[in-house]
Amino acid sequence: MVPHLITALSGPINELEARVLESMPAIERWFRLEWMEHTPPFYTSVDLRNAGFKLAPVDTNLFPGGFNNLTLEMLPLAVQAAMAAIEKICPEAKNLLLIPEAHTRNTYYLSNVQRLVQIFTQAGLNVRLGTLDEEIKSPSRLALPDGSELTLEPLLRTRGRLGLKDFDPCTILLNNDLSAGIPPVLENLHQQYLLPPLHAGWAVRRKSRHFQSYEEVAKKFAKLLGMDPWLINPLYGQCGQVDFDEATGLECVQGHVETLLAKIRRKYKEYGIGEKPFVVVKADNGTYGMGIMTVHDPKELDDLNRRTRNKMSVVKDGQPVSEVIIQEGVPTYERVNGAVAEPVVYMIDRYVVGGFYRVHAERGVDENLNAPGSGFVPLAFAESHQLPRPGAKPGASAPNRFYMYGVIGRLAMLAAAYELEATDPEAEIYE
Amino acid sequence: MVPHLITALSGPINELEARVLESMPAIERWFRLEWMEHTPPFYTSVDLRNAGFKLAPVDTNLFPGGFNNLTLEMLPLAVQAAMAAIEKICPEAKNLLLIPEAHTRNTYYLSNVQRLVQIFTQAGLNVRLGTLDEEIKSPSRLALPDGSELTLEPLLRTRGRLGLKDFDPCTILLNNDLSAGIPPVLENLHQQYLLPPLHAGWAVRRKSRHFQSYEEVAKKFAKLLGMDPWLINPLYGQCGQVDFDEATGLECVQGHVETLLAKIRRKYKEYGIGEKPFVVVKADNGTYGMGIMTVHDPKELDDLNRRTRNKMSVVKDGQPVSEVIIQEGVPTYERVNGAVAEPVVYMIDRYVVGGFYRVHAERGVDENLNAPGSGFVPLAFAESHQLPRPGAKPGASAPNRFYMYGVIGRLAMLAAAYELEATDPEAEIYE
């Protein structure tokens, strides 16, 4: 189930949405069976794009920030899901060590950390913060906008365990996506649960590998509902030897752009969609909305200006980009107060715990919204008269449009579960 | 964790409350470990009495009605808990058969059934209603106050399974407390999950057996917190051969009343409580607030008037009373709009999903409130500024007083788990 949040959509529900809503029992059962075979990531946020004719995930974050953008009414739901997660992993746990991003005093991010501390404290754990910042040698306080503060403490590593002074956790929760690489202090922690696992970090993870798993999941799901998987699956290609700075390896990118645009054009024709196809080129290990460009024509890559080349050549923590994913662009046709908006769905364990709209007043429907100037609009719970009520007369209750976002969000989360199993360096191989 | 609801209490938190609040991580861990060994009942509601100096459960219902008295904001929490429950019991389930009370057209009760249908539908199941009323031979519609309707269908029993026409459920959920006895149609269903089990019904269950288990749980919990178990445990006695109609067997009741009053007096003295002790005599298998009387002096039983004898001699579905529990009376010092109030806590699986106050303007602090004339006041979620925030300055966030109710409610639920294990007629015995 998915909480009923008020979406920005207000038109009639389309065919895809109607099919998802009427198949709810079959969909929930399918998820239950998938979770018997696969372990959900500890927590996940998924950026969605809703074009009306197509609804697809465009990014799946396994170290989600932004929990502070969920409404406080969602907190009990997050806490209950956190309790379920902890029960499975480490029921005897007393302590949780949370490792946030290092080197940031961004108060939005710190408010996210504060919210995570609140969620896991209310789930019944002693929560303390350890930092990967080696400059921090003693407990260090950071002020928050609401007048409260967070204390970051230096990590203490022994042979087999990681902790803080007088603090030995059962579980270590990373809210640091490891873009800068895997710090040795986190390696070989076989006596504790380190979640998400190291290979979920951007030092190892690749978006293209995720979308390979997502394609598999989308095909299974589409078969269940008897529909074309393309309606929920963004097409993609991948290039491994690109240097935007030196403008080398771009032929590979151009080739994929051309192929993808042709495929999208065919699909648009098949469905009678009068849109101009576009693709999005992204760093294959990028995050924070860095290293992303929209392309409508392969020729645009012939003569990239300096600004674009710079933008595309490094991502977070100054990591150079050499691998890129070329992904079908899905326009977003949702708007909040006139600004282009995309929904973001938050999950803890297998449960949807909330969502919000990322909005950007200065961006177009075919552009990345995760950029300076973006804002967040929390999705409120629907009022009681808007809740779907079985047995109610037609029209007496509104459909839960957020349900579909919760379904697609969970499909992306399931894909991440497939992905992490397939890429686990310590997986045992049975042949 | 327990959602933060606004309680009617507003005074300073007392010592017991303070100890429970500061021990949250230890308490939650203790519950996690208990749930590793014991299976929670499918759903539970617990009536509490808060005397300030003492907080105790006075009734634990394993077939809770009144889900419609929870605020709609709690619905997602209930649905998430229902999903967790279903996942454990029968993940492959498509269908849930819900069996409500028979012979009732009480619209309050039917609204409860409607809410349960809503919860399990949103958890992703096809839900239909089967009735134990043998007069109903074909699908029969019942109108609800909001204009919607429920359809009751006759049960179809085959050798091994129970269902409805074209409806074969994995799980059968009883919302019928079986006061009238165990119907043969529910016996020997070894191929399906029947929840709660038959021995949880009032045909078999005894309050005194429940409070025997509760005493065990309360002692364990009190040891964890280093406190006197009496602060959360109502003392009790039991008599097995009572006939109020013929006024026989009352010596046993009087004896227990006398012993209990003496014990309570000692405890009041120990804690400097200036209250007048009282006990409550209840049918040991009673429910719906029937068969209950308050006694301040054993002499009151010498000369019971006809009205009281009648009241005490039969309970729901006309079942005669021969066994009674004599329980320490816990005054309730909560008031909503001036009326005496007692909190009721609702749980699904191991999770607290909401609560409300049962209020009765014409009853005293030492009387049963579950009586004609009572009303319900849903507990709203606390506003964001009232949420406890770790790291916030003292006084900047209010304590979650509802937390303690959630803890005591869960202790009673855990006691029901112990009780159902101990009374399971099909339990294997290892010696």
Side-chain angles (χ1 to χ4, degrees), chain B residues 196-400:
Chain B
L198 294 177
H199 67 287
W202 286 120
V204 178
R205 194 171 172 234
R206 292 295 175 266
K207 285 184 200 298
S208 51
R209 185 65 193 75
H210 174 70
F211 281 98
Q212 181 189 331
S213 289
Y214 183 76
E215 186 169 66
E216 187 184 344
V217 166
K219 280 180 180 167
K220 276 193 182 183
F221 181 79
K223 197 173 166 192
L224 175 79
L225 262 63
M227 67 180 208
D228 180 353
W230 177 75
L231 297 173
I232 55 169
N233 183 34
L235 305 171
Y236 76 97
Q238 192 262 352
C239 291
Q241 302 278 338
V242 181
D243 186 331
F244 281 97
D245 201 29
E246 301 284 329
T248 58
L250 293 180
E251 323 76 58
C252 172
V253 180
Q254 278 180 311
H256 277 298
V257 168
E258 199 156 345
T259 318
L260 281 179
L261 287 174
K263 282 188 189 170
I264 302 166
R265 220 169 277 124
R266 266 201 303 280
K267 279 291 184 186
Y268 279 13
K269 204 174 162 195
E270 180 185 337
Y271 286 95
I273 297 161
E275 298 285 332
K276 189 171 158 55
F278 67 99
V279 300
V280 179
V281 180
K282 310 183 203 181
D284 209 3
N285 60 345
T287 179
Y288 276 73
M290 296 170 85
I292 299 185
M293 62 186 286
T294 298
V295 181
H296 291 84
D297 187 318
K299 290 201 199 84
E300 291 169 34
L301 292 161
D302 283 340
D303 195 26
L304 290 176
N305 60 31
R306 176 44 55 194
R307 190 167 161 268
T308 305
R309 285 200 223 166
N310 285 349
K311 189 180 81 171
M312 292 303 293
S313 54
V314 289
V315 286
K316 189 176 160 240
D317 294 330
Q319 297 302 302
V321 173
S322 64
E323 297 165 70
V324 299
I325 177 172
I326 304 96
Q327 194 173 45
E328 175 183 353
V330 181
T332 182
Y333 286 126
E334 292 203 81
R335 276 189 171 68
V336 175
N337 298 330
V340 174
E342 63 186 16
V344 187
V345 176
Y346 275 69
M347 289 154 287
I348 294 180
D349 197 81
R350 69 195 69 180
Y351 304 105
V352 175
V353 299
F356 56 79
Y357 279 108
R358 180 182 287 123
V359 295
H360 203 309
E362 284 130 48
R363 294 277 172 136
V365 297
D366 58 354
E367 286 185 289
N368 168 39
L369 305 185
N370 191 356
S374 73
F376 303 100
V377 179
L379 288 163
F381 273 114
E383 293 296 316
S384 57
H385 66 272
Q386 295 167 308
L387 287 171
R389 283 174 296 141
K393 289 180 183 138
S397 70
N400 180 358

Side-chain angles (χ1 to χ4, degrees), chain A residues 107-120:
Chain A
T107 53
Y108 288 107
Y109 178 71
L110 294 178
S111 298
N112 164 66
V113 174
Q114 182 191 37
R115 185 64 68 86
L116 286 171
V117 171
Q118 194 177 21
I119 290 169
F120 290 100

Side-chain angles (χ1 to χ4, degrees), chain B residues 40-183:
Chain B
F42 190 85
Y43 51 8
T44 314
S45 72
V46 178
D47 296 357
L48 300 179
R49 286 285 185 126
N50 189 357
F53 59 85
K54 177 166 187 161
L55 173 64
V58 293
D59 200 17
T60 303
N61 192 341
L62 300 179
F63 302 89
F67 275 96
N68 52 314
N69 293 323
L70 305 180
T71 60
L72 270 168
E73 286 72 27
M74 313 299 281
L75 192 60
L77 214 52
V79 173
Q80 197 183 78
M83 286 174 82
I86 294 294
E87 272 159 18
K88 282 191 300 185
I89 297 160
C90 200
E92 70 278 20
K94 288 178 184 167
N95 299 332
L96 179 81
L97 173 59
L98 178 60
I99 301 186
E101 292 289 332
H103 316 297
T104 179
R105 292 182 171 258
N106 177 317
T107 52
Y108 288 107
Y109 179 71
L110 294 178
S111 298
N112 164 65
V113 174
Q114 182 191 36
R115 184 63 69 85
L116 286 171
V117 170
Q118 194 177 19
I119 289 169
F120 291 99
T121 302
Q122 291 201 29
L125 294 164
N126 299 307
V127 185
R128 283 164 64 178
L129 303 174
T131 180
L132 289 171
D133 183 348
E134 292 180 4
E135 304 285 297
I136 295 180
K137 311 267 192 215
S138 62
S140 156
R141 291 172 166 192
L142 297 175
L144 289 167
D146 68 356
S148 62
E149 45 187 35
L150 292 174
T151 303
L152 288 181
E153 298 179 64
L155 295 171
L156 283 183
R157 174 72 196 245
T158 61
R159 192 181 161 83
R161 299 184 74 88
L162 182 66
L164 305 173
K165 187 160 185 266
D166 305 321
F167 190 74
D168 183 30
C170 175
T171 302
I172 300 155
L173 180 60
L174 290 177
N175 195 248
N176 180 313
D177 65 22
L178 309 178
S179 283
I182 296 176

Side-chain angles (χ1 to χ4, degrees), chain B residues 7-29:
Chain B
T7 55
L9 294 172
S10 55
I13 56 173
N14 63 31
E15 198 190 322
L16 170 61
E17 212 173 343
R19 191 168 313 181
V20 167
L21 283 169
E22 76 195 14
S23 309
M24 188 176 78
I27 292 171
E28 295 301 323
R29 176 170 182 265

